[in-house]
Every structure is written in C-alpha cells, then in structure tokens.
Amino acid sequence: MAASPKVQERIDALRELLHHHAHRYYVLDEPEIPDAEYDKLFQELQALEESHPELRSPDSPTQRVGGAVLEGFAKVRHKVPMLSIRTETDIEASGARSFDARVRRELGLAESAPPIEYVAELKFDGLAISLRYENGVLVQAATRGDGEVGEDVTQNIRTIGQIPLRLSGKSVPPVLEVRGEVYMRRDDFERMNDQQREKIARGAKNEKTFVNPRNAAAGAVRQLDPNIARQRPLSFYAYGWGEITGGPAFETQYELLEALRGWGLPVSRQTRVARGADELVAFHQEIGAKRDQLPFDIDGVVYKVNSLALQKRLGFVTREPRWAVAHKFPAQEQLTTVESIDVYVGRTGKLTPVARLVPVFVGGVTVTNATLHNEDEARRKDVRVGDTVIVRRAGDVIPEVVAVVPDKRVAGAQPFAMPQRCPVCGSDAVREEGEVDHRCTGGLFCGAQRKQAILHFAQRRAMDIEGLGEKLVDQLVESGAVKTLPDLYRMGLASLIALDRMGDKSAQNVLAGLEQSKNTTLPRFLYALGIRHVGEATARDLAHHFGNLDAILNASAEQLLEVPDVGPIVAESIHTFFAQPHNREVVEQLRACGLHWAEGEPAAQAPKPLAGKTVVLTGTLPTLSRDEAKDMLEAAGAKVAGSVSKKTSYVVAGAEAGSKLDKAQELGVPVLDEDGLRRLLAGEVS
C-alpha cells in the first residue's frame, strides 16, 4: 500500500532536519542538540523507511555513515570503508542478550551450542580516525567523512603524542590502516576551558569555551593550522583496522588488538574477551557503574564477535556489520525548556541560581532542576526563561545547563540578574570583591541558614551547649520549635520531651547546657554569631580592641580596619552583618535571654610576648586541655600550627606524643612540657 502524503512529508522533514544537525555536528563542530536527540530523529526516520522501503533514497541520512568532507582539507578515499555500527536502543541488560540471540540465530546455532566469544570494549565519545602506516611509518591520517571519503588531517594527528609516527615491534605489516578514536580527557578539557575563560576575561576576541570534550577534540583535529591543534590536549585509542597487506595472520579480533598494542599503539585496558550473553551483561553493568570515574567520556560499550571467520560469515547489512553492536548507556545530555529561574539559598547563605525545567529523562533519572552555579556563569551561558537548553547529568553530579539553543529562543526573553536581597529573609545579598558568589547577610535570621547557624552557635569552640547535636537541631527546626537563636533559651521541658527519642533526663541535660552557656566570653559570643570571615582569632582581636559589644555593633568599616589583622574584606563583612536589622534584633534578644560576659574599656595595644613565635602542640598535657593551651598561646600572640618545620619556635609535648615530637628532635626544635609552657607564657623561657 502506498504511503500517505503525510508520511512523505514527515520523511522529508526528518531528512532535512538530520542533514542540518549533521552539518552542525560534523562540519562546524557547533551542535545545537545533544546526541540523544539526534538519535531519536534518526531512529524515527529509520523506522519510517523500513515501513515504506519505496520511499528510501540514496541521499537519506540512513544511507550515510558520517558527515560531509570539510572544505579546506584534501580528500582521502578509504581503501576499506569506515562503516558505523548498529546502536542497541535498549539501555538495559536485555540489550546485550538481544544482540547475542540475534547473532546465534543468524549463525544458525542451536540452543545447546557453546556460547559465542565476543570482544567487549568502550564506546569512546570522540572523533573516529583512520591512521595509514606504510612499512611501519605513519603516512596519512583521515577522518571518517562519509565512510567512503574522509578528510586528510595528517599534520594535526601528528601532534598527538600517543600516536606513534613509526611502529615498533616485530612483524609489522607493510600496509596497516588503524582505526581508532581521538578524544579529550575530562581534566584536560576543564583545564583548556579555564584557559579560554581567562582569555575572555582579559577581553580576547573570537574566543569561546567548548560545550563538551567530544566537540573540543573534533574541532582541534579539523584546525587548518597544525600549531593550533598542537595546543589542544588530544588523546587516542585504537580499536580496529581497515586495509592490511602482509604481516601475520590472525584468527580473532582480540589477537589483532593485542598486536596493535605490541606495535606501539594505545589500546584500552578495559577491552576484554566475554563468553556469551551473561558476560556481556556483566561488562555492561561493570562499565556503567564506573563510567563517571573514567578519565574520559563514553556513551556506551561495544560488542564484537571475536572470531574473524564468524565475522566474515555474518557479513554486513546496508551500513552496518551484523557482527557488532553499540550498547548505549542512558544519555547524559538532553533537550528541555527553562520554565523559571529561581535562586536557592544554601545553609551557609550562598545564593545559587537554579533553572526549573520541563521534566526530562537524562543520565538515568528524571531531571526537573539544573544548577546555573552563579551569576557570572548564568550570564556567560545567557540562560533565560523560556529557552531551550541542553541539560547534562553524569552519575551523581548535580544536573547543569550546558548550553542554550539560540535559534529556539522566545521573543522578549530577559537576561538573568541576581536579586539584591535574599529571597528567603529579605536581607541584603552581597558579592564580596574577588568572589563569584552572592551571599545572604541575614545569617542569624534567614530560614535557609537556620540549622547551620544553630549548629555553629552551639559548637564547643563557640557557646559550647552540651547535648545540642545535629539530630536534635533537625527536629527543633523542622517542628518549628526554634526559628531563631533566642528561641533556644525560651524552650521549656515540655517542648523538648515532645520530640522523638527525647526522655525527661535528656531534656533536662539540654536545658542545663543552655543555662550554663549563658555565662560566656565576648570572643566566644562573637565567634558563635557566624559572621563570615570571623574566626576565633578575629573574634578575640575584636573583643580585645573594642572592649565591649556595643562598640563593635556601632563601629564603622574604617574603625574596624584599625583592628590588627582585619583587612577591608573582613571589615566590610562585619559591618554589613551588624547593619542588618534582623541580626541586631537577634543579638539584643540573646542578651535579653540572659547571655552575659565580662566587658571593659578598649585595651591598650600592648606588645604580646610570643608575637611572631610558632608553637606546635602534641600529646596529652597533665592539667591543660589542647584547647586551653591553644587559647593561652594565642592570647600571648603565638601562632599555633599543626605540623613541625624549621620555622617552628617550640613544640609542647605531653604524654603519648607521636611523630611531631620525633620531627622536633630531628630538626633541633626546643621541646617543652606543661611546666615549660607555663614558664614560656610567664616570660621565663627565651
């Protein structure tokens, strides 16, 4: 029955669309859609042509192997065509079993026949290349092109260190065409993109970052200037061959791969022989589990019948060998649409723009959100509401927007701008000099930072509230019992007992810990507030310089700069924190709850006896805890370090001192016990 006009229209539309995307992908190296989207279109066209074979045409993408030859390179006709292989669309284990069953059926094997032996290897995500060696010397390198004719990229390929210019070993055939993949390692790709971003930041024109390692590698190979190609960090793996004349005879695929390795060509160590469907399934699952730990991208695995004699029996169909198949993993990139861009506030106050997406299945899960990282990254990618975007998810990595498809942008879409106020609490959102992130300044009030603020406030080096651990804080916040820090001191016994796994005695211990924490010191209180850049040492310096909390609350940024070791960034952070009405209100409420400390006048900046000295603590002291000894030393101006070096002034050693004591003795660093430490602090040790 003749096909309807609608079928013909759809076939024509698919062919035009696939030709367009193939040109963008193979020739321009500027893909508009991810591989998975192209595969869907290709498979739809393939199915329509199989249902209506009368509509097939020789110029259909289904009758081609690859892209067109790039103008500017000489053409190379492959002695043996570079055919692509069939893709198994079933990404589950059954895909391997389907291939094995098909091979056995086409070979006419009974169920009782022994399992077939296969070669299982990685499906690299790079650019297919044919290397021609004559008498062991590399004379030509060519791209796949359309499978029959490719591009001569010899000069560029010669820049890849992994590819030998002359083969080594014995029995090298007089003519050997090696088929393999040029690719780029992920770390090399990231390093190259970092360099590109630096160039762009310096105002360089005609520079861009690359979408993914595959296209970065393909673009490098197709550079007309070999000097540019040489600057790109390319790698290579061999996995097959084309024309071979002379040389040893081989019976299996794996034997020939081992021969390639012996002649000096890189062959993946992941390649192995697998017997039967069960071992193919095991290989697929094993590689899938460690896919994200590999140093390069793959999008699946490949199975090939190992016996060359069986390969010959099986032969080819149209554009594909019957004896091989590519078994893909879930796509790591897909197309979807940005519905909105929200700003997420993290536990530490960091603001992160997040694209809310039309749900899409990618990387094995349904993705609805993708991070845009920060304002600079969102603007660099120019992601806007309504955009069609490429989303990537690899393993446990948070999904991210890789690129926008500009041709599909809706009219009137507005560029993203980071809000000037926190979307959770309304406090100022600031971006410090030299930082890429915006942060909420309402740390004591912001609901997003509530748990983090409480845990920091309660820790031993801050308010030291006994029994107030992470699980209890989770319950207090999630139940709504504690919304701000003062709520901790307003809790009664009944509200604590009502929580899961909280008995009467445990509740009373928590209340006792809260009561005991009210008597503290100004440095501990300042540190407990969680002001960005204010650690224990800075809190101690602030308290020593100003003498009382009100002076710190009302200090200008210029006055804060007068504190030793407080620079412009720290001063601005402190000033901004106390300028937020929410934060000042929390501080006043904590005072009203009974938190108190000794205050006084600003201290004179007397010289500290151990200023400039570095001290290392090791072992257990008889009467002083490690924290007490550290506080005493830092109060005297010393720096307390964690390791011993030639710059160490003293090592204070207690019982069970370990390698630090040995190192001190080896370097001749003075070693003190607790009595020696006290004499040092009293100025009796020089």
Side-chain angles (χ1 to χ4, degrees):
M1 188 171 70
S4 68
K6 286 187 177 181
V7 172
Q8 181 68 66
E9 287 176 11
R10 181 56 181 164
I11 287 177
D12 291 342
L14 285 169
R15 285 173 181 167
E16 183 177 349
L17 198 57
L18 287 166
H19 280 310
H20 168 77
H21 287 304
H23 179 76
R24 301 284 302 184
Y25 188 90
Y26 290 106
V27 180
L28 302 182
D29 295 320
E30 293 177 355
E32 291 180 345
I33 61 175
D35 290 352
E37 190 71 16
Y38 182 94
D39 289 344
K40 286 180 186 175
L41 297 172
F42 187 95
Q43 288 158 13
E44 183 184 352
L45 177 59
Q46 200 171 37
L48 286 172
E49 290 182 346
E50 286 176 358
S51 299
H52 304 281
E54 72 279 8
L55 298 182
R56 279 202 184 102
S57 67
D59 64 344
S60 172
T62 62
Q63 306 305 303
R64 294 167 57 90
V65 176
V69 175
L70 184 68
E71 291 183 8
F73 289 108
K75 295 182 179 180
V76 175
R77 181 166 292 278
H78 300 299
K79 297 287 186 178
V80 176
M82 288 185 70
L83 300 177
S84 60
I85 59 177
R86 176 176 180 172
T87 297
E88 176 55 64
T89 57
D90 186 346
I91 60 176
E92 301 301 328
S94 55
R97 299 191 186 282
S98 297
F99 172 64
D100 177 65
R102 185 164 60 249
V103 169
R104 294 178 67 86
R105 183 171 60 252
E106 290 178 354
L107 289 174
L109 298 180
E111 290 186 12
S112 58
I116 295 174
E117 198 171 75
Y118 298 97
V119 169
E121 57 193 30
L122 307 184
K123 186 177 184 300
F124 302 101
D125 198 9
L127 181 72
I129 291 290
S130 179
L131 308 175
R132 184 176 179 86
Y133 289 88
E134 295 181 359
N135 297 316
V137 177
L138 178 66
V139 296
Q140 191 175 71
T143 62
R144 183 198 302 273
D146 64 2
E148 298 287 342
V149 178
E151 311 150 358
D152 188 333
V153 290
T154 308
Q155 294 305 309
N156 290 343
I157 291 301
R158 287 170 66 91
T159 69
I160 302 175
Q162 283 185 309
I163 295 178
L165 301 181
R166 180 185 293 273
L167 298 179
S168 57
K170 299 178 180 180
S171 304
V172 177
V175 174
L176 171 65
E177 281 186 358
V178 178
R179 304 284 165 81
E181 199 91 357
V182 172
Y183 67 95
M184 191 176 290
R185 290 172 55 95
R186 292 195 198 107
D187 53 357
D188 288 333
F189 172 75
E190 293 299 334
R191 192 159 41 246
M192 185 180 68
N193 257 354
D194 287 343
Q195 293 170 354
Q196 291 299 107
R197 292 187 187 101
E198 289 176 7
K199 291 178 183 178
I200 295 169
R202 292 196 298 267
K205 296 182 179 179
N206 301 320
E207 296 288 351
K208 66 177 183 179
T209 54
F210 298 90
V211 173
N212 55 44
R214 189 269 165 206
N215 291 99
V221 171
R222 291 196 175 99
Q223 287 290 334
L224 290 173
D225 182 358
N227 290 318
I228 296 177
R230 185 176 290 109
Q231 297 169 14
R232 304 283 172 84
L234 300 176
S235 299
F236 174 79
Y237 271 129
Y239 54 68
W241 57 90
E243 182 184 17
I244 301 179
T245 61
F250 298 97
E251 294 184 357
T252 67
Q253 178 97 9
Y254 193 77
E255 285 176 359
L256 215 159
L257 289 177
E258 287 297 292
L260 294 180
R261 194 198 307 276
W263 293 330
L265 290 153
V267 176
S268 172
R269 294 291 178 183
Q270 305 286 348
T271 302
R272 71 182 64 163
V273 173
R275 288 176 56 81
D278 288 345
E279 292 190 14
L280 291 182
V281 169
F283 181 78
H284 184 264
Q285 292 174 341
E286 175 192 335
I287 299 300
K290 62 183 181 183
R291 174 187 188 185
D292 301 314
Q293 283 71 55
L294 295 172
F296 43 77
D297 285 347
I298 63 171
D299 55 4
V301 294
V302 175
Y303 313 133
K304 298 173 182 175
V305 173
N306 194 24
S307 166
L308 299 183
L310 290 183
Q311 287 186 13
K312 188 174 181 179
R313 275 181 58 188
L314 288 163
F316 298 82
V317 54
T318 313
R319 59 194 287 273
E320 302 161 344
R322 287 190 174 95
W323 44 265
V325 73
H327 191 181
K328 285 202 169 186
F329 294 130
Q332 293 182 304
E333 291 184 354
Q334 288 284 14
L335 280 183
T336 187
T337 305
V338 178
E339 293 187 313
S340 65
I341 299 178
D342 299 338
V343 175
Y344 169 77
V345 184
R347 293 180 63 179
T348 61
K350 175 183 171 182
L351 272 62
T352 302
V354 176
R356 306 299 183 193
L357 309 169
V358 173
V360 61
F361 190 76
V362 55
V365 300
T366 299
V367 171
T368 56
N369 305 316
T371 180
L372 298 176
H373 298 292
N374 52 60
E375 183 179 42
D376 288 353
E377 191 72 359
R379 287 184 172 178
R380 183 182 69 78
K381 294 177 179 175
D382 193 21
V383 180
R384 307 184 186 187
V385 176
D387 277 351
T388 297
V389 294
I390 299 173
V391 176
R392 178 177 177 82
R393 181 188 182 274
D396 295 328
V397 177
I398 297 171
E400 67 171 338
V401 172
V402 176
V404 170
V405 181
D407 293 348
K408 295 189 176 183
R409 172 161 288 162
V410 297
Q414 297 298 310
F416 170 77
M418 186 69 78
Q420 299 303 302
R421 291 190 173 275
C422 171
V424 174
C425 70
S427 299
D428 291 341
V430 300
R431 177 178 177 177
E432 295 173 355
E433 184 178 350
E435 295 280 335
V436 297
D437 296 318
H438 285 70
R439 292 184 181 274
C440 167
T441 57
L444 299 184
F445 178 81
C446 183
Q449 303 173 68
R450 193 168 293 154
K451 291 181 183 179
Q452 182 70 17
I454 294 171
L455 288 168
H456 178 80
F457 184 82
Q459 68 169 285
R460 183 166 52 87
R461 301 289 292 171
M463 300 305 293
D464 193 18
I465 304 174
E466 190 72 28
L468 199 59
E470 187 169 355
K471 290 183 179 179
L472 177 56
V473 169
D474 285 345
Q475 286 197 71
L476 291 171
V477 171
E478 289 167 9
S479 68
V482 173
K483 295 181 179 178
T484 64
L485 294 176
D487 290 341
L488 290 170
Y489 295 95
R490 297 174 182 141
M491 289 189 301
L493 185 63
S495 59
L496 280 172
I497 292 176
L499 300 174
D500 290 341
R501 300 182 181 179
M502 178 62 67
D504 183 81
K505 185 174 181 180
S506 297
Q508 290 193 19
N509 287 340
V510 172
L511 292 176
L514 286 163
E515 188 64 31
Q516 187 174 350
S517 72
K518 291 180 180 179
N519 182 18
T520 187
T521 66
L522 181 54
R524 279 180 174 270
F525 181 77
L526 289 170
Y527 174 61
L529 295 179
I531 306 168
R532 185 161 165 77
H533 301 306
V534 175
E536 296 171 70
T538 301
R540 191 162 41 247
D541 291 341
L542 287 168
H544 184 75
H545 181 86
F546 288 101
N548 62 82
L549 179 60
D550 288 332
I552 300 171
L553 286 170
N554 299 313
S556 65
E558 291 74 18
Q559 290 172 320
L560 289 164
L561 282 170
E562 297 174 5
V563 180
D565 297 326
V566 170
I569 292 177
V570 179
E572 188 60 35
S573 178
I574 298 167
H575 182 260
T576 302
F577 182 89
F578 286 123
Q580 300 299 309
H582 303 315
N583 292 338
R584 295 180 75 99
E585 181 182 350
V586 170
V587 169
E588 293 308 317
Q589 288 183 18
L590 287 170
R591 279 171 148 177
C593 288
L595 273 71
H596 60 278
W597 49 83
E599 291 189 333
E601 295 300 318
Q605 298 300 314
K608 296 183 177 181
L610 296 183
K613 303 291 185 182
T614 300
V615 181
V616 173
L617 298 168
T618 182
T620 304
L621 300 177
T623 65
L624 291 174
S625 69
R626 182 74 62 89
D627 286 341
E628 289 170 334
K630 181 182 178 184
D631 286 343
M632 295 166 69
L633 285 163
E634 289 180 340
K639 175 186 176 182
V640 179
S643 59
V644 180
S645 69
K646 291 181 179 179
K647 296 182 179 180
T648 304
S649 306
Y650 302 96
V651 168
V652 178
E656 299 181 3
S659 59
K660 293 177 185 178
L661 176 58
D662 297 336
K663 184 72 172 178
Q665 292 169 340
E666 177 186 329
L667 296 175
V669 175
V671 177
L672 307 174
D673 56 12
E674 184 177 312
D675 289 339
L677 169 61
R678 294 186 183 279
R679 286 188 285 111
L680 177 67
L681 293 167
E684 298 173 5
V685 175
S686 59

